[in-house]
Amino acid sequence: MLHDPEPEPVRLTSEWRAPAAVVGTGLAVQRHLIDRAVNSCWYLVMTCEEKSAFSIDLCQSAGLLARDYFTHRDQLLIDQKGSHDWVSEADRKVESFIRERIAETWPDDRIVGEEHGGTAGANGFTWVIDPIDGTTNFLNGIPTWTIVLAGVSEGKTQFGVVHDPIYGETFSALRGRGAKLNGQTVHVAEGKSLGEGTVGLGYSNRIKPEN
């Protein structure tokens, strides 16, 4: 009786391809599935790296636009969405700027934004935008607000960017690669207790105390 030969160890690299012909149907199917999985994972990693770099540049460009609106905030049109929940012309214009750049570069991706809702996508990848995180601060002249952009696929956040145009700080993170500040790796301080740290606390009266 003929048996499938023992498969050779598979090296999971971007150049690996299943052999054109193998002995045994079971082995052929197995290697075909591995090939597809490797290529899919490699494509996701490379695409997310590219999109992460793109999102850093985009947030910094959007930050220049938002900072200009911040300088001339007394001229903005402002609407109130709810208690301590404001939206301004700046929020909408900055989000539109980000959306247009994404749509031009990645036309098959879905886009979800705080001010303009969501658009359909064709490949399972979603961009999530908060054009001005901290609108109340923004409108009151408090220089504590940021541009936020993230990429989501397979039910997980693959990368994220938080850009502070006032202090020139860009925080970024890529799944499996850690976090960075202006391109330099950051990490939790070693050998420090919570008692030696500083804790920041935010409060919103839109959240009931029991929650």
Side-chain angles (χ1 to χ4, degrees), residues 44-45 48-49 52 156-160 172-180 185-186:
L44 177 61
V45 170
C48 285
E49 285 185 352
S52 177
K156 299 177 181 179
T157 301
Q158 301 296 340
F159 60 82
S172 62
L174 179 63
R175 178 170 290 277
R177 304 294 180 86
K180 295 182 178 181
T185 300
V186 294

Side-chain angles (χ1 to χ4, degrees), residues 100-170:
E100 290 169 5
R101 290 282 301 275
I102 293 174
E104 290 171 0
T105 311
W106 312 96
D108 292 331
D109 292 357
R110 182 171 182 251
I111 304 174
V112 175
E114 183 174 3
E115 311 305 338
H116 296 293
T119 62
N123 59 9
F125 191 93
T126 301
W127 294 85
V128 182
I129 309 167
D130 189 344
I132 298 178
D133 185 20
T135 299
T136 300
N137 287 347
F138 183 96
L139 296 177
N140 284 284
I142 301 172
T144 309
W145 50 271
T146 60
I147 313 293
V148 179
L149 183 60
V152 179
S153 67
E154 299 183 347
K156 299 177 181 179
T157 301
Q158 301 296 340
F159 60 82
V161 177
V162 177
H163 174 60
D164 184 337
I166 301 299
Y167 295 99
E169 294 182 333
T170 304

Side-chain angles (χ1 to χ4, degrees), residues 89-108:
E89 179 184 6
D91 294 85
R92 296 188 177 103
K93 291 292 182 62
V94 172
E95 182 172 319
S96 293
F97 172 81
I98 295 173
R99 282 174 173 271
E100 290 169 5
R101 290 282 301 275
I102 293 174
E104 290 171 0
T105 311
W106 312 96
D108 292 331

Side-chain angles (χ1 to χ4, degrees), residues 34-56:
I34 292 175
D35 190 27
R36 288 184 59 184
V38 170
N39 290 336
S40 176
C41 291
W42 183 260
Y43 175 77
L44 177 61
V45 170
M46 295 304 294
T47 300
C48 285
E49 285 185 352
E50 187 177 0
K51 288 183 176 180
S52 177
F54 168 85
S55 65
I56 291 171

Side-chain angles (χ1 to χ4, degrees), residues 189-200:
E190 297 180 356
K192 299 290 184 180
S193 67
L194 183 60
E196 298 174 275
T198 301
V199 178

